[in-house]
Amino acid sequence: MDVLLLGKNGQVGHELRRAVQPLGAVTAAGRAEVDLTQPEQIRLAVRETRPDVVINAAAYTAVDQAEEEPSLARSVNVEGPRVLAEASRNI
């Protein structure tokens, strides 16, 4: 089984990476590799890995700062996952 895991550098992503490794090949990416504000990076990651399973552990979690940067928070927490779901459906 091929797994694409986004958010590898966070606490949840780090633990998920360890947990899913026994399942098969894991491609883990952080923001440097797949930025959720960049739809084409998301689509490319899905096309290149053709995963059986996609796990999104990436998120904009700075609550106070999100109030000052609502567009960025929405892009990471809403639009990025939407593009990820659409790209995953099309593989």
Side-chain angles (χ1 to χ4, degrees):
M1 177 183 314
D2 293 325
V3 178
L4 174 60
L5 169 66
L6 302 181
K8 73 175 184 178
N9 297 319
Q11 289 178 325
V12 173
H14 177 76
E15 291 302 321
L16 281 169
R17 187 177 187 183
R18 287 182 15 177
V20 299
Q21 276 188 317
L23 299 177
V26 178
T27 300
R31 186 180 327 153
E33 296 86 15
V34 180
D35 185 336
L36 288 182
T37 66
Q38 303 298 316
E40 198 48 45
Q41 283 185 16
I42 299 166
R43 291 182 189 106
L44 181 62
V46 172
R47 272 195 314 266
E48 286 183 345
T49 59
R50 300 195 54 79
D52 299 302
V53 175
V54 176
I55 302 171
N56 180 24
Y60 188 109
T61 59
V63 176
D64 291 339
Q65 194 168 343
E67 292 178 357
E68 296 173 20
E69 299 177 320
S71 294
L72 180 57
R74 180 175 176 76
S75 183
V76 172
N77 291 342
V78 177
E79 298 305 323
R82 179 187 58 75
V83 171
L84 181 61
E86 289 173 355
S88 298
R89 180 180 34 187
N90 293 326
I91 56 169

